[in-house]
Amino acid sequence: MATIAITGSTDGIGRAAARRLLAGGHTVVLHARSEARGAPVAEELGALGDVRLVTGDLADLDEVRALAGQLGGPGDLDALVHNAGVWPPDGAPPSRQGHEIAFAVNALAPHLLTALLQEQVRGRLVFLGSGMVGSGRVDPGDLGSPRDPRRAYADSKALDVVLSLGWARRLPHLRVGAVDPGWVRTKLASPGAPGDVEDGGRRVERAAAGEWSGGYTAGSSRACTPRALEDTGLQDRVLAAMDRLAGVTSP
């Protein structure tokens, strides 16, 4: 059985995936922004299996670094799932380091966590895409600047796909990719979304548990990756820019 860490796993798709993984006998490391938010969920899911809670605000790079320190030593994780995400409300303040909040939480935090935990993860690294990836724009010279909420979210999800492709090349010993969980009814989506949280949780569970070959997928099939995002030159420029913003040393 695997040990799997899932960011943003106290509600929505992350919680559904955690519940399914626990039912399958896996150990799940839940992540919450705070102890107060995470403890009740950890207690509830602990009835299903082996659960550990870690905390940290992904909008603050200092807390992301502290979170990485809670996730164990080399080889302690079979899989790391970058599930946490925000759709910023109008007028949302920037992150602690001054970045647009969707960029900070949805993309910069996963990049920094990946850089810090690459020795801890021994199997799979999963980013979350979106049906909005095709409308996102990725400009390595303009990361984290203010955008309207819809554009900010789409750009952050396109960036997640670029990061998954770039990190797959940096870490060829791991199975790295992204999962489109579908348009499901969560706090990020409208009530009219056709899917439910369990649909998305099932897709994430499959990738986290190893029934997945990497790449960009939507359920059991390949998701459509915009051609521009497959450009390795773009991926390298994005990784270098993200390294600078996250304050990590490029490999």
Side-chain angles (χ1 to χ4, degrees):
M1 293 293 102
T3 299
I4 299 162
I6 309 174
T7 64
S9 42
T10 57
D11 61 11
I13 292 168
R15 185 169 178 168
R19 192 165 50 243
R20 296 181 65 88
L21 287 163
L22 288 166
H26 300 288
T27 295
V28 173
V29 183
L30 292 175
H31 160 257
R33 188 182 306 136
S34 67
E35 183 77 19
R37 185 180 179 89
V41 180
E43 182 177 1
E44 175 192 329
L45 294 184
L48 301 177
D50 188 6
V51 172
R52 181 163 67 91
L53 176 65
V54 294
T55 60
D57 185 352
L58 299 185
D60 183 340
L61 294 179
D62 290 335
E63 292 206 26
V64 174
R65 294 184 184 96
L67 171 62
Q70 298 174 52
L71 286 168
D76 282 353
L77 298 174
D78 292 285
L80 171 62
V81 181
H82 295 302
N83 166 78
V86 298
W87 182 299
D90 287 317
S95 73
R96 176 74 181 276
Q97 284 73 30
H99 304 299
E100 187 279 317
I101 197 70
F103 166 79
V105 173
N106 300 359
L108 188 58
H111 179 77
L112 176 54
L113 267 182
T114 299
L116 295 173
L117 294 174
Q118 55 188 293
E119 298 298 326
Q120 275 86 333
V121 181
R122 57 176 174 256
R124 298 168 298 284
L125 181 63
V126 186
F127 292 79
L128 255 64
S130 165
M132 295 180 69
V133 162
S135 62
R137 301 170 187 164
V138 176
D139 179 355
D142 183 33
L143 298 175
S145 62
R147 290 158 167 77
D148 70 81
R150 185 178 182 85
R151 169 59 54 200
Y153 185 80
D155 288 359
S156 73
K157 291 289 102 181
L159 189 52
D160 280 337
V161 173
V162 170
L163 290 174
S164 74
L165 297 172
W167 275 107
R169 293 167 50 235
R170 276 190 175 181
L171 303 175
H173 60 289
L174 297 181
R175 194 177 305 170
V176 184
V179 173
D180 178 357
W183 186 24
V184 302
R185 292 183 294 277
T186 70
K187 65 184 180 182
L188 297 186
S190 68
D196 64 27
V197 167
E198 291 302 319
D199 295 333
R202 187 177 299 109
R203 293 184 182 190
V204 172
E205 174 214 9
R206 184 181 296 117
E211 302 170 34
W212 177 70
S213 59
Y216 185 30
T217 60
S220 58
S221 61
R222 289 285 169 184
C224 179
T225 305
R227 186 178 299 274
L229 306 187
E230 295 179 330
D231 179 0
T232 57
L234 173 68
Q235 295 164 20
D236 289 342
R237 293 192 299 276
V238 165
L239 289 173
M242 297 289 276
D243 286 341
R244 290 193 296 273
L245 292 174
V248 299
T249 303
S250 301

